[in-house]
């Protein structure tokens, strides 16, 4: 088991024995920085290949660790290298490996995605900017029969309103810069298609790839959700918006597709719908908010296995087993796992 950790001003990659939890080895490297004390802790999941681990820390360090030599072989910084400032929530993403490249998202005013040579660490290309700070990891999807890098950035955050002084004219509304959901060419990072119709000032879940070249986009902060389809037109691509909805919105975690429905943890800092079953054509089937005595799950993560959803309530620390039935909610079992009110938002993993 590989995980990231923190010790003073060093970040760590730790390797644990799956059966016992005993530490087999660790690699430490200098990684100074400061985050909001309320959201301290490590972020992101290391990406593991046959010979290396690639990870991005909450402070912006981007490193390759040789698994045989157990040492860092190259290191970059997604904040300092791009002359940017660290967001108070830090950085949270997992690099994607594609061919000889490792893909990350600096998401600065000048650069959206960057591709590096997996062995040497040399930068190969950068894409145009995609918006503002976000937490969406780039990943490769097959779209209209060809590989593309799916990536997105956040929209500009509206300034806090202030009370208007007596006799003062109202300020004209500000046109906020959008975030972009894009398909990039793996060859050189050029934008093949671009969608700006959905706006979230802190994008976290990545768009869910669906059949027929569709993508479901969701977020918190009152962003709601949207469904788009990518259509090839000659040598170009066109984005068709199928619908937008405020019925569901997940701040942190990926929806899970089951048949013609998505299971969505429709909770955020501004909504408490609980778990929702939402059809691909935009209809809400149910949500636990409307079901007596059903858990809310707060902003805990969930995964699916053997037709069941394994869900951790981010506030109570209770792990729930839920039947993955889009038509009705059925709670199968529950057990206390972590401390209450501990913001148990980290992703779950399953080993067979």
């Amino acid at each position: 088991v590989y995980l990231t950790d923190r010790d003073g001003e060093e970040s760590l990659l730790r390797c644990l024995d799956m059966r016992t939890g005993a530490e087999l080895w660790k690699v430490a490297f200098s990684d100074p920085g400061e985050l909001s004390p309320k959201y301290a802790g490590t972020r992101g999941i290391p990406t593991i290949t046959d010979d290396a681990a690639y990870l991005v820390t909450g402070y912006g360090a981007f490193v390759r660790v040789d698994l045989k030599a157990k040492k860092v072989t190259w290191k970059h910084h997604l904040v300092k290298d791009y002359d940017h400032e660290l967001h108070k929530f830090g950085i949270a993403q997992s690099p994607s490996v594609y061919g000889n490249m490792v893909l990350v998202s600096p998401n600065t005013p000048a650069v959206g995605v960057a591709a590096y040579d997996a062995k040497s660490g040399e930068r190969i290309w950068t894409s145009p900017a995609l918006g503002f700070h976000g937490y969406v990891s780039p990943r490769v999807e097959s779209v209209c029969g060809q590989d593309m890098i799916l990536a997105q950035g956040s929209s500009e955050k509206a300034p806090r309103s202030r009370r208007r002084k007596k006799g003062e004219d109202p300020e004209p509304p500000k046109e906020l810069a959008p975030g972009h959901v894009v398909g990039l060419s793996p060859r050189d990072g050029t934008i093949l298609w671009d969608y700006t119709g959905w706006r979230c000032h802190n994008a976290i879940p990545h768009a869910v790839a669906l059949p027929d070249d569709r993508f479901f986009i969701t977020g918190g902060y009152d962003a709601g959700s949207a469904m788009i389809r990518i259509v090839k037109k000659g040598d170009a691509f066109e984005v068709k918006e199928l619908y937008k909805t405020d019925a569901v919105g997940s701040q942190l975690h990926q929806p899970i597709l089951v048949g013609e429905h998505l299971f969505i943890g429709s909770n955020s800092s501004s909504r408490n719908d609980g778990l929702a079953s939402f059809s691909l054509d935009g209809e809400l089937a149910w949500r636990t908010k409307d079901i007596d005595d059903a858990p809310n799950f707060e902003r805990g993560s969930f995964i699916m296995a053997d037709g069941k959803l394994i869900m951790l309530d981010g506030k109570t620390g209770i792990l729930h087993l839920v039947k993955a039935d889009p038509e009705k909610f059925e709670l199968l079992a529950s057990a206390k796992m972590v401390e209450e009110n501990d913001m148990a938002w980290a992703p779950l993993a399953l080993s067979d």
Side-chain angles (χ1 to χ4, degrees), residues 143-173:
V143 184
C144 299
Q146 70 181 71
D147 287 350
M148 298 183 189
I149 299 165
L150 189 69
Q152 63 191 86
S154 302
S155 60
E156 183 179 9
K157 185 177 181 179
R160 291 184 181 272
S161 60
R162 64 174 180 84
R163 187 180 297 276
R164 187 157 38 106
K165 296 179 180 179
K166 187 177 180 179
E168 184 181 26
D169 292 332
E171 294 182 357

Side-chain angles (χ1 to χ4, degrees), residues 36-299:
S36 168
K38 184 178 179 181
Y39 302 102
T42 57
R43 291 149 167 77
I45 300 171
T47 299
I48 308 298
T49 66
D50 290 340
D51 60 353
Y54 302 91
L55 61 141
V56 174
T57 73
Y59 303 87
F62 169 38
V63 304
R64 179 187 188 272
V65 175
D66 186 295
L67 296 181
K68 184 177 181 180
K70 300 178 181 57
K71 66 177 183 179
V72 173
T73 55
W74 53 254
K75 180 180 179 183
H76 296 287
H77 205 283
L78 300 189
V79 178
K80 297 175 184 177
D81 292 359
Y82 295 93
D83 194 25
H84 197 39
E85 294 183 359
L86 182 66
H87 192 278
K88 67 177 181 178
F89 295 154
I91 294 175
Q93 60 177 280
S94 298
S96 291
V97 176
Y98 180 72
N100 68 325
M101 298 185 299
V102 183
L103 309 168
V104 289
S105 289
N107 263 337
T108 73
V111 173
V113 173
Y116 294 79
D117 185 277
K119 290 290 187 182
S120 69
E122 180 182 356
R123 191 169 65 189
I124 300 172
W125 53 254
T126 59
S127 82
L130 303 178
F132 294 77
H133 180 82
Y135 296 94
V136 184
S137 302
R139 73 186 197 282
V140 177
E141 297 283 356
S142 177
V143 184
C144 299
Q146 70 181 71
D147 287 350
M148 298 183 189
I149 299 165
L150 189 69
Q152 63 191 86
S154 302
S155 60
E156 183 179 9
K157 185 177 181 179
R160 291 184 181 272
S161 60
R162 64 174 180 84
R163 187 180 297 276
R164 187 157 38 106
K165 296 179 180 179
K166 187 177 180 179
E168 184 181 26
D169 292 332
E171 294 182 357
K174 182 183 179 183
E175 181 65 30
L176 300 178
H180 301 256
V181 181
V182 301
L184 303 175
S185 166
R187 183 174 61 84
D188 56 10
T190 56
I191 295 176
L192 303 176
W193 54 265
D194 186 1
Y195 173 65
T196 58
W198 174 86
R199 298 190 178 192
C200 179
H201 72 254
N202 203 1
I204 300 174
H206 62 67
V208 180
L210 299 169
D212 303 321
D213 299 311
R214 292 174 295 172
F215 291 94
F216 182 81
I217 309 161
T218 190
Y221 309 95
D222 300 315
S225 304
M227 178 81 80
I228 62 174
R229 173 180 282 129
I230 312 304
V231 179
K232 189 169 185 179
K233 298 277 187 163
D235 293 330
F237 298 89
E238 178 181 300
V239 182
K240 291 188 175 183
E241 183 181 277
L242 303 182
Y243 61 79
K244 287 194 287 189
T245 178
D246 292 322
V248 289
S250 173
Q251 180 179 342
L252 298 181
H253 300 293
Q254 305 305 127
I256 292 177
L257 176 66
V258 176
E260 292 296 312
H261 285 74
L262 290 162
F263 286 105
I264 302 171
S266 189
N267 290 330
S268 70
S269 53
S270 59
R271 69 190 305 157
N272 289 287
D273 298 336
L275 178 66
S277 174
F278 190 74
S279 71
L280 297 186
D281 58 7
E283 297 296 325
L284 180 66
W286 53 260
R287 56 185 183 178
T288 54
K289 176 182 179 179
D290 304 319
I291 301 172
D292 291 341
D293 300 322
N296 175 265
F297 304 107
E298 209 261 341
R299 282 168 279 183

